[in-house]
Amino acid sequence: MDTGVRPDRRPAIAICAWDPTFTAWDPVEDLSGEPWNPVGARTLPIPGMASAETLAAALSALLAKGECGALLLVGQTAHPDAFRLQMRAENRRLDHSDRLDHTGPGVARATAPAAEIVRALADAGLNALAASDAEQDAGSYILYRILNDLPDGPASPSIGLIRAPLNAPNAKVQLAVKTAASAIARHLAPLSRPHVA
């Protein structure tokens, strides 16, 4: 029976502020209760969790199931003034006592289009830079876990981490996240049409 409802073929991008106390990013713009979506994609808002290990495992599982083609992690930076797009994460345990994965690479590189995101942020009037240094916090730990769990191959999802300066007003954080997500979404392909037997 045809219900008349067409499947949503837009690719999905998960957006997650890993720290549940960081409330500057709110995916719901208005009283509709519907999350904001970038042009050509749909947003999967993922709530932060107190346990970085649990959140990293949940996000890795979401990506492994193919439920989204991209992930943007959102958090804060210890550095002042500029939004920072973190380009890599180090192989360290959450408490920094040792390597997280003794057989994994020492550094994992984010797969999101860094140069394009930084350009888009600048075009939006935001002070932004791409940073090679990994900040020693749960965001870097989660980023490494997710990148290290990705399968090899050309179809790897786009993974990025954007950090807001501590003094950034909520409106600028919202603009930065939307701008970064929109830049990522431009590289996502529509979902394939279902096969009809």
Side-chain angles (χ1 to χ4, degrees), residues 2 7-8 53 59 80-81 85 90 95 115 118 145 165 185 197:
D2 185 0
D8 191 339
E53 293 93 342
L59 292 171
D81 303 324
L85 189 72
E90 295 174 357
D95 64 4
V118 171
R145 279 271 310 268

Side-chain angles (χ1 to χ4, degrees), residues 82-174:
F83 286 87
R84 297 169 73 88
L85 189 72
Q86 186 169 319
M87 296 193 303
R88 62 185 199 134
E90 295 174 357
N91 183 354
R92 303 299 297 172
R93 289 186 182 275
L94 195 52
D95 64 4
H96 315 297
S97 62
D98 195 6
R99 288 172 67 95
L100 172 65
D101 183 341
H102 287 282
T103 61
V107 172
R109 296 195 66 81
T111 56
E116 183 175 339
I117 292 171
V118 171
R119 268 194 312 272
L121 291 168
D123 290 347
L126 299 169
N127 186 12
L129 56 88
S132 292
D133 58 316
E135 298 189 32
Q136 302 300 314
D137 64 7
S140 291
Y141 167 85
I142 293 167
L143 181 63
Y144 182 88
R145 279 271 310 268
I146 291 167
L147 292 170
N148 195 43
D149 288 348
L150 286 178
D152 291 327
S156 289
S158 183
I159 311 295
L161 186 159
I162 188 168
R163 294 179 177 274
L166 291 173
N167 59 350
N170 287 5
K172 284 197 172 183
V173 175
Q174 300 275 339

